[in-house]
Amino acid sequence: MQKVAFVGYRGMVGSVLMERMKAEKDFNGYEPFFASTSQAGAKAPDIGRDAPPVADAHDLDFLSEMDIIVTCQGSGYTQKVFPALKQSGWNGYWIDAASALRMNDDSVIVLDPVNRDAIDKAIESGIKNFIGGNCTVSLMLMAIGELFRKGYVSWMTSMTYQAASGAGAKNMRELVSQMKKIGEQAGGLLSDPEASIDELDRNVLATMTATDFETENFGAPLAGSLLPWIDAGMEDGRTKEEWKGFAETNKILGNNPPIPIDGICVRIGAMRCHSQAMTIKLTKDIPLEDITQMISGSNEWVEVIPNTKERVIKELTPAAVTGRLSIPVGRIRKLNMGGQYLGLFTVGDQLLWGAAEPVRRMLNILLGKL
Ligand code: NAP
């Protein structure tokens, strides 16, 4: 029986992965093991069957016995352990949620509803490293990958509205703490219907700009504001998150030459759903009806939302999509610039299709279950 180790099972992505695997009854047909950098010796997580105590995630002897290693631990861990394990002669499959190996020639970025053919070819050709993509890229491709696959995209911009969860659990807590503080400070004014809106506005601003306002993780107020910078800066003025939109999308699709993709990535005060507004220059003037059909037929999770206020504000929002695998796409329309210019909006849970789901499915592909 194959041995599969899960490293990073208790982090944010890891715990969503565990939940999804339990929900899908995935823990069968192989021997599961769990490893941690801090919990070695602890009881294995509850997966509905027995598993040995948690191993030390740095123990190369343990890891080298595995046929498949699934890690949601982070790039620091991958950079430390992966090369050492390879050097020791290990030749198993490495499935990773972190970005460290994504752009390597011997890695495939996995998003099987979009690039299953590339995944199958890679397995056949002996590739061993299968890496989950950037959350925003995966969600965008789940929504409109079909337009790329059909060769209809000449260029694209993606303006993002990204949730706090992309920055980690501490940041999610900080966002809610900021909201709480703003609400507490404004409480008296809110309960007085006669209080002026000007005073309320000044009160909120004073809270957000006070020196004791909690900004340790984001570095600035996010509640009541936004942050148009995600990840590290690059020399050309992009952020790394913006660069990934171009680099990872083209790698997943195997585009050569690459399609120009760019945009501005913005952190907003949503908890765990990323949203994106796309402007696409099509290679030709395709009727809107055909585009809508192409998008809605591209995979079983995408859902086209009719362009009415009622439907859009109920179904095309982070609040509506959190915890769901569905990928709503809406506001689909031709832009004033001409028939080749398409605008649309999409939302997705970045811990599901943006992180855990492609990894979960990749494991099932390797195990021959999908
Ligand atoms: P995370 O929540 O910070 O978890 C990473 C590790 O932190 C855990 O596996 C755990 O390792 C340790 N940890 C320390 N204290 C913990 C606590 N109180 N509760 C749980 N875990 C704790 O990281 P993540 O957001 O899941 O991200 C993991 C990787 O996936 C990163 O490389 C990230 O870039 C990538 N990724 C993340 C997202 C996302 O939306 N967050 C999306 C796509 C990809 P030990 O058990 O060894 O202590």
Side-chain angles (χ1 to χ4, degrees):
M1 206 177 259
Q2 297 205 79
K3 293 180 173 176
V4 180
F6 297 91
V7 185
Y9 62 90
R10 67 188 199 106
M12 211 161 43
V13 175
S15 49
V16 172
L17 176 67
M18 294 298 109
E19 274 169 36
R20 283 289 301 135
M21 291 185 66
K22 272 200 278 184
E24 296 289 340
K25 302 194 173 23
D26 277 350
F27 287 108
N28 61 61
Y30 58 90
E31 260 187 278
F33 294 84
F34 296 88
S36 159
T37 61
S38 67
Q39 310 290 308
K43 205 167 167 295
D46 172 20
I47 55 164
R49 61 174 279 191
D50 286 341
V54 173
D56 175 357
H58 288 118
D59 179 350
L60 294 185
D61 291 337
F62 159 78
L63 294 172
S64 60
E65 294 206 347
M66 297 297 132
D67 299 291
I68 303 175
I69 295 171
V70 180
T71 166
C72 304
Q73 185 67 11
S75 284
Y77 174 79
T78 299
Q79 278 155 348
K80 196 166 163 201
V81 168
F82 179 78
L85 196 56
K86 284 307 237 187
Q87 218 163 20
S88 75
W90 181 73
N91 197 29
Y93 289 105
W94 181 270
I95 305 177
D96 201 335
S99 63
L101 305 178
R102 273 184 207 147
M103 297 309 291
N104 289 8
D105 287 343
D106 60 356
S107 295
V108 170
I109 304 179
V110 295
L111 187 64
D112 68 277
V114 174
N115 70 343
R116 177 68 195 252
D117 43 354
I119 292 170
D120 288 342
K121 262 190 218 149
I123 296 171
E124 247 171 64
S125 70
I127 294 279
K128 298 281 183 172
N129 310 323
F130 295 93
I131 320 298
N134 168 263
C135 42
T136 321
V137 170
S138 297
L139 294 172
M140 178 274 287
L141 283 174
M142 285 299 290
I144 56 155
E146 196 61 13
L147 299 184
F148 282 101
R149 280 169 63 92
K150 289 215 151 62
Y152 290 149
V153 180
S154 172
W155 55 252
M156 186 186 85
T157 71
S158 167
M159 301 300 177
T160 73
Y161 306 78
Q162 295 183 224
S165 60
K170 283 188 202 147
N171 295 61
M172 292 172 81
R173 296 183 69 89
E174 187 168 279
L175 171 63
V176 178
S177 299
Q178 291 183 353
M179 290 170 170
K180 180 174 176 234
K181 183 83 176 178
I182 291 171
E184 277 170 0
Q185 297 293 106
L189 293 169
L190 270 183
S191 52
D192 173 7
E194 301 299 314
S196 83
I197 196 65
D198 197 35
E199 202 184 341
L200 179 63
D201 183 39
R202 273 186 276 118
N203 176 293
V204 170
L205 186 65
T207 305
M208 284 164 59
T209 51
T211 48
D212 66 347
F213 194 61
E214 203 183 316
T215 58
E216 199 187 331
N217 294 290
F218 282 116
L222 180 62
S225 188
L226 57 77
L227 304 170
W229 189 284
I230 297 178
D231 208 338
M234 311 230 350
E235 274 180 11
D236 61 6
R238 290 191 187 97
T239 62
K240 200 158 179 213
E241 187 78 358
E242 289 152 3
W243 170 82
K244 285 176 186 172
F246 168 76
E248 289 192 23
T249 303
N250 280 298
K251 178 165 179 177
I252 291 171
L253 296 168
N255 290 332
N256 191 14
I259 293 174
I261 296 167
D262 214 331
I264 296 179
C265 293
V266 180
R267 185 79 66 202
I268 58 149
M271 286 296 273
R272 59 179 263 187
C273 277
H274 288 349
S275 306
Q276 309 182 54
M278 259 69 104
T279 297
I280 299 168
K281 181 168 187 214
L282 300 166
T283 49
K284 58 181 183 183
D285 185 351
I286 307 167
L288 211 50
E289 210 174 294
D290 295 0
I291 290 170
T292 306
Q293 266 175 17
M294 237 182 284
I295 292 173
S296 64
S298 60
N299 61 59
E300 64 187 90
W301 299 274
V302 80
E303 221 180 297
V304 170
I305 307 299
N307 197 25
T308 66
K309 178 180 176 185
E310 204 175 46
R311 295 288 301 270
V312 164
I313 65 170
K314 282 205 180 113
E315 297 171 53
L316 193 60
T317 67
V321 177
T322 295
R324 294 176 54 210
L325 284 162
S326 64
I327 305 280
V329 184
R331 304 307 327 278
I332 305 173
R333 63 187 181 88
K334 292 291 182 76
L335 302 176
N336 274 339
M337 296 79 157
Q340 278 179 264
Y341 293 86
L342 180 71
L344 53 84
F345 192 86
T346 180
V347 185
D349 187 316
Q350 67 101 14
L351 290 170
L352 289 170
W353 274 117
E357 197 63 8
V359 165
R360 183 187 78 80
R361 291 170 64 90
M362 187 61 224
L363 174 60
N364 283 344
I365 290 172
L366 289 178
L367 293 168
K369 296 180 180 182
L370 190 69

